[in-house]
Amino acid sequence: MATLRIALFNAKGGCGKTTLAWNLAAGLAQRASTLLLDADPQGSLQRWADWSEEEGNGMTVAGREALKSSGMGSAQYCVIDCPPALEAVETRKALDLADIVLLPVLPSPLDLWASQRSVEAIEEIQKKNQKLRAALVLNQVEGRSALSRAAEHAIATLGLPVFRGQIARRAIYRNAAVEGKSVYQMGKRGDAAVAEIEVLIEEVLK
Ligand SMILES: Nc1ncnc2c1ncn2[C@@H]1O[C@H](COP(=O)(O)OP(=O)(O)OP(=O)(O)O)[C@@H](O)[C@H]1O
Ligand SMILES: [Mg+2]
């Protein structure tokens, strides 16, 4: 079967692209062979992988050179972590290849407005890459509080679908990163995070 390519992109920095790429890939790797492609020249994912035990459990990590080989090996799933840059060649290449792009966004109007240009860039690429699905993923959601009306309005203005599954702000995401692990390797402490990542995966695979 052809590789399903999932890109994480938002030119807004620090919204959770790398965190979600890593944990989505760990969850997908439990289903089938998964390539995690670090398209960010900063290479933070690759460094993370260097001292992690995650690799080998169905997951392989590759650098941005792998963007050149459009086949991307024989993995069933390929998760691509994009740099926080609209104009980067890596971003362009990743979105040209992707089947689905997820934009992590913090649920605040300021962060949502800052994602406008990224949404426009995706819409531009969709004219050529017509298979490309796109969705917002709310990340670092606090408690059970409903979205503010301003945030609801900002989301509507962006005009992309929003995934039902949301990712809460949880210390476990940071702690797992510090240990070179995904939330799947954190035992009981990781259960709530694993459950929400699983919801995202099911929406991606729909
Ligand atoms: N759901 C979450 N709960 C708690 N902390 C989080 C969550 N998601 C991300 N973080 C933390 O927020 C910070 C930024 O996340 P991350 O590096 O994944 O963002 P990014 O979009 O890849 O950033 P950049 O644009 O610099 O590549 C990190 O310290 C990460 O541990
Ligand atoms: Mg990153």
Side-chain angles (χ1 to χ4, degrees):
M1 227 161 56
T3 306
L4 180 74
R5 299 174 186 131
I6 306 146
L8 279 293
F9 169 64
N10 190 339
K12 171 91 176 56
C15 57
K17 296 177 286 294
T18 302
T19 303
L20 292 184
W22 178 258
N23 288 291
L24 283 172
L28 287 165
Q30 298 195 344
R31 292 164 166 77
S33 59
T34 300
L35 175 68
L36 180 54
L37 203 163
D38 187 359
D40 188 344
Q42 289 181 84
S44 49
L45 254 185
Q46 274 194 301
R47 257 175 261 153
W48 195 345
D50 277 348
W51 57 291
S52 161
E53 295 156 16
E54 215 61 65
E55 253 193 306
N57 299 328
M59 197 209 293
T60 316
V61 181
R64 63 200 161 113
E65 328 73 62
L67 281 171
K68 290 198 196 103
S69 58
S70 56
M72 293 177 183
S74 55
Q76 175 77 68
Y77 302 117
C78 175
V79 180
I80 311 174
D81 181 28
C82 292
L86 280 172
E87 311 299 343
V89 283
E90 290 85 359
T91 297
R92 166 80 32 182
K93 184 79 185 158
L95 296 180
D96 281 345
L97 291 170
D99 299 292
I100 177 164
V101 53
L102 304 180
L103 277 90
V105 284
L106 272 55
S108 85
L110 278 180
D111 280 86
L112 287 156
W113 291 325
S115 305
Q116 180 70 45
R117 291 197 50 224
S118 299
V119 172
E120 287 165 9
I122 287 170
E123 285 167 350
E124 196 53 41
I125 285 169
Q126 280 175 322
K127 290 180 189 161
K128 278 190 282 164
N129 179 2
Q130 292 177 348
K131 68 177 185 313
L132 181 64
R133 288 160 64 200
L136 302 175
V137 176
L138 293 169
N139 184 29
Q140 302 213 28
V141 176
E142 307 251 24
R144 291 183 176 277
S145 59
L147 282 178
S148 68
R149 280 192 56 209
E152 295 272 13
H153 183 258
I155 288 173
T157 311
L158 287 176
L160 284 187
V162 187
F163 265 10
R164 188 174 50 82
Q166 303 183 352
I167 305 296
R169 184 198 291 276
R170 298 180 194 278
I172 196 80
Y173 285 106
R174 288 170 195 270
N175 295 341
V178 169
E179 294 180 32
K181 291 177 176 167
S182 73
V183 292
Y184 288 82
Q185 288 184 317
M186 299 300 282
K188 274 224 140 324
R189 290 180 299 153
D191 282 355
V194 165
E196 63 193 8
I197 295 288
E198 286 289 311
V199 173
L200 278 196
I201 290 177
E202 291 307 321
E203 286 187 275
V204 167
L205 298 184
K206 240 191 238 164

